[in-house]
Amino acid sequence: MAPVFDYAPAPESRSVVDIAPSYGLFIDGEFTEAAGGKVFKTVSPSSEEVLSEVAEASEEDVDRAVRAARKAFEKWSALPGSERAKYLFRIARIIQERSRELAVLETLDNGKPIRETRDADLPLVAAHFFYYAGWADKLEHAGYGANPRPLGVAGQVIPWNFPLLMLAWKIAPALATGNTVVLKPAETTPLSALFFADICRQAGLPKGVVNIVTGDGRAGAALVAHPDVNKVAFTGSTAVGKEIARTVAGTRKKLTLELGGKGANIVFDDAPIDQAVEGIVNGIFFNQGQVCCAGSRLLVQESIHDELLDSLKRRLSTLRLGDPLDKNTDIGAINSAEQLARITALAEQGEAEGAERWSPACELPESGYWFAPTLFTNVTQAHTIARDEIFGPVLSVLTFRTPDEAVAKANNTPYGLSAGIWTEKGSRILAVAIKLRAGVIWSNTFNKFDPTSPFGGYKESGFGREGGRHGLEAYLDV
Amino acid sequence: MSDKPEKTEKTDKSERTERLSVFKTYKLYVGGKFPRSESGRVYEVTDAKGKWLANAPQSSRKDARDAVVAARKAFGAWSGATAYNRGQILYRIAEMLEGRRDQYVREVGEAEGLSRSKAAAQVDAAIDRWVWYAGWTDKIAQVVGGGNPVAGPFFNLSSPEPTGVVAVLAPQESSFLGLVSVVAPVVATGNTAVVIASEKAPLPALSLGEVLATSDLPGGVVNILSGRTAEIAAPLAAHQDVNAIDLAGADEVLAKELEIAAADNLKRVLRPQPVDDWTAAPGTERMTAFLETKTVWHPTGSLGASGSSY
């Protein structure tokens, strides 16, 4: 199909963000070099341009950060909630003020489209701080007893798919409840966390309340294993989540895990097709499918399979892949060469196992890490691409005949994070939702997030909830 | 801005005349505008020692009815705004107040005969109170609402909703902190308010209108009237388009009279409660007093070979 419109390039200006050539660790309110002086480079996934050099934290640095957090804990936890609230409100406001800068930064370091960082990530980040700021002086109303206490020092390890949003999900509730934190951002996306350190400085946050240690998995492992950490919060892969669960076994550390998913997006024959197609696209191609709650398994009622697939393919042909800073871009870059290799390998396995692969005509840029939107039909439940989390823009399409079959197939996974239901019938939505073993069910919509709404998984998608009143529990001694 | 005169003018001290200050005309705040009373009446407001401060508008019954119209008109959009949006706006009010802190410290000090530091404590607590209620907008539903496990195949969810237009008799003694403490919880949850300021100390309340007008709060959400409390409250308590009334600023006799009038359309009535210390942390009662609970049922159906049963 020939495109109806040609789009002129509409790049967002990079001049709004000023990236320093190097960054240290943020410990006890100061940027410092790593003890061993080691650094690593962070690149822009869309161009492979080196953006900055970042300190690589050693075990010694992690220890220093935990000590700083411990030292800060006494005063921070003793502050009246209303004063902690005001610090968090300040942070929320500064994030709002600097949101364009942070959106451009995030797009540069992560590779996701500016449309998403500007319209989804950053507004949600600010809203999350705003929401938990309000809880800081209302904890006795949250249903955890008259005087719920913080845990102490929280060690938090976050992924690269929503760097600043995951930071907000971790730091906002931790600080609101009176904990201090040591946060390790992902190796490939450290910059927005380091900019956040500067926001803490602007907000006048006491030293040591927030510490940022950059590095790879070893720094994360050291943080999780540190004996003076009281709380571990991790978002990332199920494999690493299990490793962390083993590490904290036998300790008194409180643990919450937000892990992988293989979300089913179930479309019944009475669903409004156009809306469902938009929801399916949003479900698996938002953030290049690098979303733990992605709707990566499409379950279509057999009677509408062909009609839906026609519409879906037509819609995929209009998606625009390219420069993430371009305001018209729908699909940005894959975050890293490593992730691209994993997606590529799984897609090849899908073909090898007999599923039918399809992608729209799509020109990939020459430099950077790119993967065309892809869907597989003729997928069975035994196929690897129907079982393993791909974490990329790859949709596996399966069919069903009855609601019972849809539920059985949707639940046929070790994961249980999200699911979608598309039907005009309210009672069917609720009947199916009740049967699904997943923590978040979207009906006639997908990938909706709100700071007031708890998020988290069943089964091997982890435990604990982030967001809402429920999200406080992870950081309270209850 | 500097108070210091420029050096060149400083030649001879005896020639300097003290600059004459500009008085503010205090006006009502109704529907986002600053009208005088339609009656043309004013009354003399003095400080604690009896020194003249200003002539405040003495609102009439008609002013009260106009304010109800403005509050009703604003209710749809305000109650329909997201809780997050309302929270942002309430927080903005705190930001704007912080910037005019000195003005309110002076006004509260004069109105209540307080030392500068005691007046400052009142103003600081009032600013923090807006912050406290800013945080409540998107949390009250999670504290007082929730799913109900009915014994049947039904989804059943109870949610709080604002009751509508609330008439608020602000406390007589605490002209600013008391006022904020009764107004903020009413509007935080999505109600709109017609507020009668403290009769003898209305100036901080009338000045609050200037902050509300520049805080992204839609016009009509808060309407502020000054005058004789009993005179303005009577038509509000009897008004058929007012849904609730907070009697904080009424004495025992007036409160009973107004509660009887309010029964005519079964207004929700919050009776005056003795408050020794307005700086004490509030609970949720001032919000829940002006909330309705709406419960929605929906069948959950059942799965089967033929699909849902309903």
Side-chain angles (χ1 to χ4, degrees):
Chain A
M1 196 175 69
V4 182
F5 298 110
D6 280 333
Y7 288 79
E12 181 70 51
S13 171
R14 273 182 73 155
S15 65
V16 68
V17 58
D18 189 10
I19 302 174
S22 69
Y23 286 94
L25 311 168
F26 185 68
I27 297 175
D28 207 15
E30 310 282 343
F31 280 102
T32 64
E33 284 181 23
K38 274 193 172 176
V39 295
F40 63 97
K41 291 177 168 54
T42 183
V43 303
S44 179
S46 64
S47 63
E48 298 173 60
E49 168 200 350
V50 174
L51 294 171
S52 189
E53 250 178 20
V54 177
E56 185 180 325
S58 64
E59 214 167 306
E60 190 184 331
D61 298 310
V62 169
D63 181 57
R64 204 152 50 91
V66 172
R67 282 170 198 273
R70 173 62 57 196
K71 201 174 82 195
F73 174 67
E74 195 180 337
K75 272 193 182 166
W76 179 250
S77 59
L79 270 186
S82 57
E83 298 300 299
R84 283 204 309 273
K86 284 192 280 186
Y87 278 117
L88 290 167
F89 277 120
R90 282 186 186 178
I91 289 172
R93 283 304 221 198
I94 296 170
I95 289 168
Q96 287 179 324
E97 286 159 13
R98 296 178 62 175
S99 69
R100 187 59 56 87
E101 171 195 2
L102 294 166
V104 172
L105 176 74
E106 196 84 310
T107 284
L108 284 170
D109 205 19
N110 170 279
K112 64 170 72 183
I114 186 73
R115 191 169 55 85
E116 293 181 9
T117 52
R118 184 195 60 199
D119 299 346
D121 296 59
L122 263 298
L124 284 169
V125 169
H128 214 81
F129 275 99
F130 214 92
Y131 177 76
Y132 278 106
W135 270 124
D137 54 5
K138 302 177 180 65
L139 296 175
E140 70 270 30
H141 296 283
Y144 301 106
N147 185 24
R149 303 302 307 152
L151 294 160
V153 174
Q156 307 175 317
V157 180
I158 58 170
W160 44 260
N161 58 342
F162 296 91
L164 200 56
L165 183 58
M166 291 302 103
L167 175 149
W169 283 22
K170 295 286 179 285
I171 291 183
L175 263 47
T177 45
N179 301 276
T180 55
V181 308
V182 178
L183 177 126
K184 193 201 85 71
E187 188 183 359
T188 58
T189 54
L191 292 182
S192 52
L194 295 166
F195 274 57
F196 178 79
D198 187 53
I199 289 172
C200 293
R201 182 189 61 78
Q202 289 186 336
L205 194 72
K207 288 176 178 183
V209 172
V210 167
N211 305 275
I212 311 282
V213 289
T214 45
D216 59 16
R218 286 169 297 181
L223 178 57
V224 166
H226 195 289
D228 203 30
V229 160
N230 306 96
K231 156 78 192 179
V232 172
F234 172 73
T235 296
S237 73
T238 290
V240 174
K242 289 178 179 177
E243 201 47 50
I244 290 173
R246 289 179 197 114
T247 303
V248 304
T251 71
R252 298 177 64 86
K253 292 174 186 173
K254 190 164 182 169
L255 177 65
T256 45
L257 298 169
E258 204 272 273
L259 309 175
K262 193 72 188 174
N265 207 354
I266 306 167
V267 184
F268 287 96
D269 58 5
D270 67 340
I273 294 290
D274 289 347
Q275 285 96 314
V277 165
E278 288 307 309
I280 294 161
V281 169
N282 177 32
I284 186 61
F285 299 116
F286 177 62
N287 200 20
Q288 296 72 244
Q290 303 167 129
V291 183
C292 49
C293 54
S296 51
R297 287 182 298 155
L298 177 62
L299 298 179
V300 194
Q301 198 151 20
E302 205 174 80
S303 51
I304 57 161
H305 174 270
D306 293 353
E307 183 191 357
L308 184 77
L309 264 289
D310 284 349
S311 293
L312 184 57
K313 287 177 176 177
R314 203 160 51 232
R315 180 66 181 90
L316 292 189
S317 307
T318 66
L319 291 178
R320 299 174 58 79
L321 176 147
D323 179 9
L325 275 178
D326 192 305
K327 292 169 222 171
N328 292 320
T329 293
D330 298 308
I331 310 266
I334 300 301
N335 182 250
S336 65
E338 187 190 353
Q339 184 59 21
L340 179 60
R342 178 178 159 76
I343 298 168
T344 306
L346 277 163
E348 279 166 6
Q349 196 170 348
E351 271 184 288
E353 289 177 13
E356 198 174 310
R357 180 174 182 163
W358 182 90
S359 283
C362 183
E363 204 177 308
L364 301 182
E366 284 177 4
S367 60
Y369 318 125
W370 302 92
F371 198 88
T374 299
L375 63 82
F376 281 96
T377 48
N378 287 331
V379 178
T380 74
Q381 297 185 82
H383 283 144
T384 306
I385 54 168
R387 308 202 64 79
D388 286 14
E389 183 178 43
I390 299 173
F391 224 65
V394 180
L395 180 67
S396 302
V397 184
L398 297 89
T399 59
F400 69 89
R401 287 184 181 172
T402 66
D404 270 332
E405 187 187 350
V407 166
K409 284 184 168 170
N411 286 338
N412 183 13
T413 166
Y415 296 113
L417 191 49
S418 74
I421 306 168
W422 298 83
T423 166
E424 289 284 64
K425 195 174 264 186
S427 54
R428 182 182 284 157
I429 288 172
L430 293 166
V432 172
I434 286 165
K435 291 272 166 65
L436 291 174
R437 302 281 295 164
V440 184
I441 313 286
W442 286 294
S443 312
N444 293 328
T445 186
F446 211 94
N447 272 343
K448 288 283 175 281
F449 307 95
D450 192 280
T452 68
S453 181
F455 181 94
Y458 281 36
K459 301 195 278 184
E460 291 186 23
S461 290
F463 42 72
R465 291 294 177 268
E466 297 185 287
R469 190 179 64 76
H470 300 75
L472 294 167
E473 189 184 347
Y475 293 95
L476 289 172
D477 187 13
V478 289
Chain B
M1 220 169 62
S2 167
D3 292 328
K4 287 179 190 161
E6 286 177 31
K7 265 190 178 174
T8 48
E9 291 172 17
K10 221 176 175 179
T11 48
D12 184 355
K13 273 189 178 177
S14 64
E15 275 179 28
R16 274 187 65 207
T17 50
E18 212 172 288
R19 182 183 164 275
L20 194 63
S21 66
V22 177
F23 285 170
K24 179 162 90 181
T25 304
Y26 283 87
K27 299 203 232 173
L28 307 176
Y29 180 56
V30 177
K33 295 191 164 61
F34 295 94
R36 294 184 167 86
S37 168
E38 63 80 35
S39 68
R41 301 178 303 178
V42 293
Y43 70 111
E44 194 170 299
V45 177
T46 61
D47 70 10
K49 289 175 186 153
K51 187 182 138 233
W52 181 87
L53 289 173
N55 297 319
Q58 188 180 332
S59 302
S60 65
R61 297 167 160 266
K62 176 72 165 70
D63 290 318
R65 289 197 298 268
D66 288 348
V68 172
V69 171
R72 175 60 61 197
K73 196 173 160 197
F75 178 69
W78 182 243
S79 59
T82 63
Y84 177 50
N85 185 228
R86 285 201 304 271
Q88 298 263 296
I89 290 171
L90 263 58
Y91 185 76
R92 183 73 176 158
I93 294 171
E95 288 182 336
M96 294 292 101
L97 274 178
E98 186 86 45
R100 294 170 62 157
R101 186 173 172 275
D102 288 348
Q103 175 198 335
Y104 288 97
V105 170
R106 178 174 51 75
E107 286 183 336
V108 170
E110 287 172 350
E112 300 181 24
L114 298 176
S115 69
R116 201 188 138 72
S117 65
K118 281 190 175 157
Q122 294 280 302
V123 172
D124 289 345
I127 296 171
D128 288 358
R129 189 125 311 160
W130 282 110
V131 175
W132 155 268
Y133 282 112
W136 267 120
T137 60
D138 54 8
K139 296 176 188 68
I140 187 72
Q142 299 181 308
V143 171
V144 302
N148 309 304
V150 294
F154 297 95
F155 168 88
N156 185 287
L157 183 75
S158 293
S159 314
E161 291 195 355
T163 193
V165 174
V166 182
V168 178
L169 280 65
Q172 298 296 344
E173 303 304 324
S174 182
S175 65
F176 192 59
L177 176 57
L179 167 90
V180 168
S181 300
V182 297
V183 173
V186 168
V187 297
T189 58
N191 296 292
T192 56
V194 176
V195 185
I196 307 173
S198 162
E199 182 168 325
K200 70 174 172 46
L203 303 187
L206 295 175
S207 286
L208 179 65
E210 297 157 19
V211 158
L212 301 181
T214 52
S215 300
D216 305 328
L217 188 77
V221 172
V222 174
N223 306 276
I224 302 169
L225 304 173
S226 58
R228 305 302 174 203
T229 299
E231 183 189 2
I232 311 167
L236 290 176
H239 201 297
Q240 297 299 297
D241 203 27
V242 171
N243 303 91
I245 188 163
D246 180 345
L247 298 173
D251 60 30
E252 211 174 310
V253 176
L254 179 62
K256 183 174 179 184
E257 217 172 273
L258 295 175
E259 189 172 343
I260 290 168
D264 208 36
N265 68 337
L266 292 178
K267 287 180 184 67
R268 283 77 177 117
V269 175
L270 185 59
R271 292 178 177 148
Q273 286 141 16
V275 178
D276 298 330
D277 178 12
W278 284 102
T279 59
T284 55
E285 301 81 18
R286 291 197 164 273
M287 288 182 289
T288 52
F290 305 114
L291 288 172
E292 306 293 330
T293 296
K294 180 179 284 176
T295 299
V296 178
W297 292 67
H298 195 295
T300 52
S302 62
L303 296 181
S306 59
S308 102
S309 64
Y310 184 80

